Amino acid sequence: MDLYMMNCELLATCSALGYLEGDTYHKEPDCLESVKDLIRYLRHEDETRDVRQQLGAFQIMQSDLLPILTQHHKDKPLFDAVIRLMVNLTQPALLCFSSVPKEPSMRHHFIQVLTYLQAYKEAFANEKTFGILSETLYELLQLGWEERQEEDNLLIERILLLVRNILHVPADFDQEKRIDDDASVHDQLLWAIHLSGLDDLLLFLASSPAEQQWSLHVLEIVSLMFRDQNPEQLAGVGQGRLAQERSTDVAELEVLRQREMAEKKTRALQRGNRHSRFGGSYIVQGLKSIGERDLIFHKGLHNLRNYSSDLGKQPRRVPRRRRAAQELSVQRRSALNVRLFLRDFCSEFLENCYNRLMGLVKDHLLREKAQQHDETYYMWALAFFMAFNRAASFQPGLVSETLSVRTFHFIEQNLTNYYEMMLTDRKEASSWARRMHLALKAYQELLATVNEMDMSPEEAVKESSRIIKNNIFYVMEYRELFLALFRKFDERCQPRSFLRDLVETTHLFLKMLERFCRNRGNLMVQNKRKKRKKKKKVLDQAVASGNVPHSPEELETMWLILAEQLQCCTQDPELNVESMVPFDAASEVPVEEQRAEAMVRIQDCLLSGRAPQALALLRSAREVWPEGDVFGSQNISPEEEMQLLKQILSAPLPRQQGREERGIEEEEEEEEEEELQVVQVSEKEFNFLDYLKRFACSTVVQAYVLLLRSYQQNSAHTNHCVVKMLHRLAHDLKMEALLFQLSVFCLFNRLLSDPAAGAYKELVTFAKYILGKFFALAAVNQKAFVELLFWKNTAVVREMTEGYGSLDDRSSSRRGPVWSPEEEAQLRELYLAHKDVEGQDVVEAILAHLNTVPRTRKQVIHHLVRLGLADSVKDFQRKGTNIVLWTEDQELELQRLFEEFQDSDDVLGHIMKNITAKRSRARIVDKLLALGLVAERRELYKKRRKKLVPSNMPKDEGSLQDFCQEDLQDEEPLPEEENEEDEEKEESLDAEQDQGGSFLSTENLGQGLHQEGFSAPLLWLHNCLIRAADDREEDGCSQAAPLVPLTEENEEAMENEQFRQLLYKLGIRPPVSGQETFWRIPAKLSPTQLRRAASALGQPEKEEKLQPELEPRDVGEQGSSEEHQAEALRALLLARKKKVDLAPSEVTSEEGTPGGKEQLKIATKKRHLLDSDEEQEEDEGRSKAPEMGAPILQKKKRFLIEDEDESD
C-alpha cells in the first residue's frame, strides 16, 4: 500500500508519536494520546482491515513502537498503551478475517495483512526487545497476590498475548529460503527469548501453584515454540550420531546412487550411431492410431517403451473441491544452538512442570473454563512431550499425569467428536480434520508409551502397562476406532500425513493386541450389538394388561372358585394389609387421583385368581380413601365385603391407557408393529483373526494402496506398516484376491521396474507373492482378468477362488423357495391388477390372493424388483400413504366433512370413513389444524359417552362407576370401537336428563350462595352479564370481557369455591395461567344466552319455593341410607343380569318417594340449558340426582355454550 493513499488523520497521528534520530527515539509531548488514538482507529476499522494495512505499510511497529518500548519503558502509562497497541496490531490474520477468505479481493487483503505480520515478527527477533518484556514480567511476578493490582494482572496477560501473537505468525519459506541447520526468523526469535530469560519465566509460571491462571497461556506459547520441531530428533541432539541414523543415511544415499547409475545407463542406450535427424519412422503393428491404420512412430526404437497415447494431451484440471488436501505442518532442523536450548527446555519442563500443568489444563477443559478448541494444545503437548520422554531417557513417572485410562478415554472422545463433525460440518471439514490429526497423534503416542513400558525392566511398570492394555483392549470403542477412521478417510480434507499416522497407529495397536492375546490363553472383551425388538401394538397391550372382555358365564364360574378362597380370608381380621400399598408413591399422579387405578388392580388380582391379594388390597385402599365408602364402610361385614368384591369382578371398569396407547391418536397406525433397537452389552471371547477380518474390505485396502503409491517418499517404517497389514490380509486370512486390482498391479509394475528396487526388498517380495497368486488363479479362472477392473469384497473373493455360485449354494438353505414360472406369472398379474388401486397396500393385496407356497412380504417385494416391476424396495415401504400434498378439491372435501360431522361423537373417525383420498390419522389432524378448523388436537378426541345405570342398580355400584369415570375421563381417549346401537339408545335418555338436572344444579348453586350472604356479588354478576349483552348488541361484535371485582366483597366472592363453580356453570372461563388475571365472559356467548344466564341468577324466589319440597326428601333419604345400602346389595345380582335398555317413559324411582315425582315434573318444564364444565357437571349428576330420588343416571357431557381460549 502506498503512503500517499494513507488517511490524512491516521498519517498525522503517526507523525505525532515522535521521531527516530540515529539510535535515539524522541517522543512528542502528546505521544500517549496519539497511541490511544491509534487504538481507537483500530477499533473502528472496516472488514478489509484498512487501518491495520495502512499502519503496516507505514512500518509503525519497526520505526516507532519498538523504539518507544525499549527506550521509554519507564513511562508506565505509555508502556501500557504501547503494549495494548502491539497486541492489537499483531493479532493473527485468521482472527481478523475469521477464516481464510475465498473471494479474490478479500483474499488479497488477507495476504497483505499476513505479510505485515511476518515483517513484525522479523523486527521482534531482537534480544533487547524481549529483555524489556522479561524484565517487566519479572517485576510483576515478584509482587505477591495481596500487592498485585488488577492493572498488573492485565499487563501480565497482555505481555503473554504479545509473545503468543509473535510466535503464531507463520514462516514464509519462499521468502526466507532457509535450509536445515540454518537459523530462520523463528529460530532467531527463540534465541532472543532464551537470551532474555523469558523461557525461565515461562517455566516458573508453569510450575508455580500461585500462577495457575496463566496455565493455558503458557501451554499455548510452549506449543508455538516447538511448532516445527521433531521430538525424536530433538531428544538425540548433542549425543552424536546414532548407528540407526547413520544406517538410514547410508540407505538413502545408496538409493540415490542406484537411480543415478540407472539414468546414466539409460542415456547411454539412447545414444545411437546415426545422427538424431535420421532416426527413421516405424509402423507399430497391433497398435491402432486415431483411424483404423496402425500407428506410425517417428522416433527411435529406444523411445518406444515410453510411448503413451496421452503424450501431448492437455492434462485435465482437477476441481478445487476434489483436490487432495495439502500438508500444512513442515518439520525442519533448526540451528544447533537453538536445538540444544530447546532440548534443555524440554527436559526441565518434563521434570518440573509437565504433570502439574497438564493436570490444571485438563481440569480447565473438563470444567469448560477454557476457550473453544483449547483442547488441541493439550493434545499437542501430550504427543510431543511423551514422545520426547520416550526418545530421551524413558521415565514413566515424568508423564504419569497423562498415562492413564482416563486419558485414553478423553482422547478417544475428542477423536470421535472431530470425526463426526468432519462428516456433518462440510464447510469446516479441513479444520476438523486437522484437529482430528492432533488427537490421532496423541492416541498414537499413548500407545507407543504403553508399548515402551512393556519393555521396561521394572515389574511395577510392566504391571501398570498390563492394566492399561487390559482396559483398552476390553472396551469395544477402542477397537472399532481405527475401522471407522479408515472407512471414512477422505483425501480431499485429510492430508497424506494423517493417513500415514493412521496406518502406523493401527500397526502398533494390532501388534500390541496380537502379543497380548498370544500371552494370554483366552481374552474376554466387551461386545455390543443392537437387538431388534418387535413390539406389538394395542392388541397385545390389551391382553397384557388384562383388559380382555369376559362373558358373564366365565365370570360366574371364576367367582365360584374365588369364593372358596375368600371364605377363609374374610374371617381373618389380621390379614396382612401393610404389605399391599394401593397407590404408587413415585407416580406423578396425586394419591387422591389414584383411586381408579387401585380399583383396577383389585379387579386384576381377582381375574388372575389371587383372592387374598385382592382382599388385602381392598382393605388397604379402604384405609387410604375412606371418603364415600367406595371401598366399603369401616364396619362392613364379611358378607358385604365378599359381595363388594363380586361387584368389582364384574364391573366394566375403565382402564388407564399406557403411554403408547395415549399417543395413538396422534401417530400413524399403518404399521402393525414397530421395531426398536436396543443396545445389548455382553462379553465374548476375543479372536484375533475374527477382528482382523473386519479390515478385509475394499475401503481399507484402497487407503493402504493410496499410501503405498508414494513409497519413494515414505520412510522405511511406514512402508513396513503398509506391507505388514496387506500381508496379514493376503496370507493370514487367505484373501490375496482383495489385491487383484489393476491399479495395484500398475503400482507393482512401477516398483519392479524401479532402478532402486533393491532398497525396497520387502515391497518387491510381497509384490511377487501377489502376482504369483494371481497368475495361478488365472490359469484356473479365466474371468480373473476381468475382475482386475473392480475392487472386491470378501464375498466376491470367495467366489473367485472357490468358484462362482458357491456362495449361493451355501446360503440356499436360508433362502425361500424358488419361484416357478406359473408363480411369477400370477405375481405379475396380481401386481398389475392392484398397483393402481388408491389407498391400498399392493403387497398386502398380493399376499392375500397369492395361491402358492407361503411367502413373506420381503420375498414378494424383492422378487417384484427382480422382475423389473418395481424400481426399488423403497417403493413399498409402509410409512403412511404416499399422498403428501393436498389438492384444493381435497381440502374442500375435508372442510365439508368436518362441518357435517363436527357435532358427532367421533369427528375424526367419520371423516376417515368418508374421505375419498385415504390418509393417515396424523395427516388429517395436521391438515385440520392448518386449516384452522380446530384449535387443538384434543377437540378431535372421541367424546366420552357415559353408560346409563338403571334405577335398580345398587347405590354402591353406581358410585363405583361414578368415581372411576371421574378419575379417568381426562386421561384416556375413548376407544374407537363402540356399539352404535347403545349410543342411539342413550341419546334420548341423556337429552331429557340434561333438561332436568343441569339447570336445576345452577339454580341450587345460586340459592346456596344467596343463603351464605353472596347476594351483592350475585347482583354484580347479574349486572355484568346484562351489560355485556347490551354492549354486544350495540357493537355487533363480541370480545372476551373481563370480570373485574372492584369491591372487597366481590373479591372474596371470586375466591369462594362455590361461587367459582357457579361461574363454571354459566360458561365463564377462568384466567389463563401466567397471562391473565381476571375471569372472562367468552366472546362466543351471544346476547340472548347472556340474558338467560342473568335471568337464572335473578330468580331467588322460585328457588325458595322449590326448596321446601326438596328438604323432606333429603331428611328421609338420610334416615334410610343404611336400608338403601342393604337393598342395593340384595338387588345387585338381578341388576347385573338384566340388559340396560330403558325408554324415557320407564325411568321411575325405585323407591317411589315423592321427591322422585317432583324431579320428573321439574324435568318436563321448559328450561334453557347453560354451559357446564365436565367435572362440575359430573359432580352435580352424582350429588343432586340422588337427593331428588331420581334414577342414578350418568349424563352424557353436553355443551350448549362452549368455552374457548381467546387472546385479548
Side-chain angles (χ1 to χ4, degrees), residues 43 61 93 200 244-245 274 349 363 496 622 655 667 693 762 768 827 854 886 894 914 1020 1029 1081 1086 1121 1146:
R43 192 179 300 140
M61 181 74 70
D200 298 327
Q244 182 180 1
E245 293 182 356
R274 301 179 60 185
F349 186 85
D363 184 67
R496 195 67 60 89
R622 186 186 304 142
R655 294 180 176 269
E667 296 177 352
K693 290 177 182 177
E762 193 176 20
K768 292 180 178 179
L827 178 64
W886 290 75
L894 179 63
N914 294 276
W1020 164 72
I1081 303 174
S1086 64
S1121 60
E1146 298 175 359

Side-chain angles (χ1 to χ4, degrees), residues 120-168:
Y120 297 161
K121 183 176 183 178
E122 188 175 359
F124 260 92
N126 187 350
E127 178 187 352
K128 189 174 182 180
T129 302
F130 277 100
I132 298 298
L133 295 177
S134 301
E135 182 182 350
T136 306
L137 187 60
Y138 176 78
E139 293 174 357
L140 292 173
L141 293 177
Q142 289 294 322
L143 300 175
W145 64 268
E146 67 279 357
E147 301 175 0
R148 196 179 299 176
Q149 303 296 323
E150 183 64 27
E151 293 80 6
D152 299 331
N153 287 328
L154 285 175
L155 185 56
I156 292 175
E157 185 175 9
R158 286 168 182 157
I159 291 176
L160 293 177
L161 287 176
L162 178 61
V163 176
R164 189 278 312 265
N165 291 347
I166 293 300
L167 289 171
H168 189 274

Side-chain angles (χ1 to χ4, degrees), residues 121-122 124-131 134 163 166-167 182-200 202 221 224-226 229 234 237 332 334-345:
K121 183 176 183 178
E122 188 175 359
F124 260 92
N126 187 350
E127 178 187 352
K128 189 174 182 180
T129 302
F130 277 100
S134 301
V163 176
I166 293 300
L167 289 171
D182 194 5
S184 63
V185 174
H186 193 75
D187 293 340
Q188 297 172 15
L189 202 66
L190 293 177
W191 190 247
I193 290 175
H194 174 58
L195 294 179
S196 65
L198 186 61
D199 54 337
D200 298 327
L202 293 176
I221 291 174
L224 293 172
M225 288 172 60
F226 292 90
Q229 304 299 322
L234 204 61
V237 173
R332 60 177 301 274
S334 301
L336 180 60
N337 57 344
V338 176
R339 284 186 286 157
L340 290 171
F341 146 63
L342 293 178
R343 185 202 61 186
D344 296 339
F345 183 91

Side-chain angles (χ1 to χ4, degrees), residues 774-994:
F774 172 75
F775 290 117
L777 177 63
V780 180
N781 183 7
Q782 294 295 328
K783 297 180 181 178
F785 294 100
V786 182
E787 295 284 1
L788 285 175
L789 300 175
F790 311 100
W791 290 101
K792 289 160 282 295
N793 55 22
T794 54
V796 177
V797 168
R798 187 178 294 113
E799 286 197 332
M800 284 181 62
T801 54
E802 299 178 6
Y804 294 99
S806 59
L807 192 62
D808 296 336
D809 296 338
R810 290 186 179 183
S811 60
S812 59
S813 58
R814 292 178 291 176
R815 293 187 177 181
V818 182
W819 291 77
S820 64
E822 294 78 11
E823 291 174 343
E824 290 184 350
Q826 184 184 6
L827 178 64
R828 189 186 304 272
E829 181 181 352
L830 290 174
Y831 176 75
L832 295 176
H834 293 88
K835 70 173 184 177
D836 296 327
V837 179
E838 191 172 3
Q840 182 185 15
D841 191 349
V842 182
V843 182
E844 293 295 338
I846 293 175
L847 289 173
H849 297 85
L850 199 61
N851 299 325
T852 61
V853 293
R855 304 279 184 180
T856 64
R857 178 184 179 90
K858 187 176 181 180
Q859 291 173 354
V860 172
I861 292 175
H862 280 285
H863 205 68
L864 286 172
V865 175
R866 185 174 298 177
L867 292 176
L869 298 175
D871 295 332
S872 173
V873 178
K874 297 180 180 180
D875 297 343
F876 301 99
Q877 287 182 350
R878 296 184 296 182
K879 292 185 178 180
T881 56
N882 292 329
I883 306 174
V884 178
L885 300 178
W886 290 75
T887 62
E888 185 177 356
D889 295 338
Q890 291 172 350
E891 291 181 355
L892 294 176
E893 181 190 12
L894 179 63
Q895 188 172 0
R896 178 183 59 79
L897 291 174
F898 176 77
E899 294 173 354
E900 181 180 350
F901 297 111
Q902 64 179 346
D903 296 329
S904 64
D905 293 338
D906 188 8
V907 182
L908 197 56
H910 287 91
I911 292 177
M912 292 187 67
K913 291 178 183 178
N914 294 276
I915 196 167
T916 304
K918 299 299 180 183
R919 298 176 185 266
S920 65
R921 182 182 298 269
R923 296 287 179 266
I924 295 178
V925 171
D926 292 341
K927 195 62 181 179
L928 289 173
L929 291 171
L931 293 176
L933 298 177
V934 292
E936 52 187 3
R937 295 177 182 270
R938 68 175 63 182
E939 298 180 22
L940 298 174
Y941 289 169
K942 179 183 281 190
K943 296 182 177 63
R944 174 176 297 281
R945 210 175 258 292
K946 299 180 182 178
K947 300 297 181 182
L948 293 180
V949 182
S951 59
N952 56 359
M953 180 176 289
K955 183 177 73 175
D956 288 346
E957 187 167 351
S959 62
L960 173 70
Q961 289 197 357
D962 282 346
F963 94 87
C964 289
Q965 296 286 349
E966 173 192 356
D967 287 347
L968 294 179
Q969 65 179 354
D970 294 332
E971 296 182 10
E972 63 171 10
L974 288 175
E976 296 184 9
E977 293 79 11
E978 196 170 17
N979 195 338
E980 298 292 340
E981 297 179 358
D982 292 343
E983 295 180 0
E984 295 175 359
K985 292 178 182 179
E986 290 171 358
E987 288 181 0
S988 58
L989 288 174
D990 291 339
E992 294 189 7
Q993 284 303 118
D994 289 342

Side-chain angles (χ1 to χ4, degrees), residues 534-720:
K534 293 188 177 178
K535 184 173 179 187
K536 297 290 182 184
K537 288 222 170 169
V538 184
L539 183 60
D540 292 344
Q541 291 173 355
V543 174
S545 61
N547 193 11
V548 179
H550 295 275
S551 64
E553 292 78 8
E554 294 176 352
L555 293 175
E556 190 65 29
T557 306
M558 193 180 300
W559 175 250
L560 294 176
I561 301 174
L562 294 171
E564 297 177 359
Q565 303 178 25
L566 291 172
Q567 286 292 340
C568 303
C569 299
T570 51
Q571 303 298 332
D572 183 14
E574 302 298 329
L575 188 66
N576 189 8
V577 179
E578 297 180 357
S579 61
M580 302 297 293
V581 181
F583 60 88
D584 184 7
S587 175
E588 297 180 357
V589 181
V591 177
E592 293 78 9
E593 300 179 9
Q594 295 189 33
R595 294 182 303 167
E597 187 63 29
M599 188 68 72
V600 172
R601 289 177 59 192
I602 296 173
Q603 189 183 59
D604 289 340
C605 290
L606 292 172
L607 290 173
S608 59
R610 295 176 293 162
Q613 289 84 346
L615 182 59
L617 196 58
L618 177 67
R619 292 178 179 178
S620 180
R622 186 186 304 142
E623 295 179 0
V624 177
W625 297 290
E627 61 275 2
D629 294 342
V630 175
F631 296 95
S633 60
Q634 296 294 334
N635 54 355
I636 189 172
S637 63
E639 291 78 9
E640 292 175 344
E641 202 168 34
M642 286 187 62
Q643 194 66 23
L644 183 58
L645 287 172
K646 186 175 182 180
Q647 297 174 21
I648 295 174
L649 176 64
S650 58
L653 298 179
R655 294 180 176 269
Q656 184 176 5
Q657 294 173 327
R659 293 182 181 177
E660 293 84 5
E661 294 181 69
R662 284 201 295 268
I664 204 169
E665 296 288 343
E666 304 173 8
E667 296 177 352
E668 298 182 9
E669 299 177 347
E670 285 76 14
E671 294 184 356
E672 296 178 357
E673 57 187 22
E674 61 183 8
E675 293 183 352
L676 301 177
Q677 288 188 346
V678 180
V679 178
Q680 287 189 342
V681 181
S682 59
E683 285 188 346
K684 69 173 184 179
E685 186 174 354
F686 182 76
N687 189 325
F688 182 76
L689 287 180
D690 289 343
Y691 176 67
L692 195 60
K693 290 177 182 177
R694 304 287 304 279
F695 291 88
C697 60
S698 59
T699 52
V700 176
V701 175
Q702 288 181 48
Y704 274 90
V705 172
L706 178 64
L707 184 60
L708 189 59
R709 288 175 185 167
S710 56
Y711 70 93
Q712 296 177 350
Q713 290 78 32
N714 295 339
S715 64
H717 177 66
T718 302
N719 288 333
H720 169 71

Side-chain angles (χ1 to χ4, degrees), residues 1111-1124:
E1111 288 179 357
R1113 189 263 169 208
D1114 295 339
V1115 177
E1117 182 170 312
Q1118 293 174 3
S1120 60
S1121 60
E1122 297 179 0
E1123 182 181 351
H1124 287 175

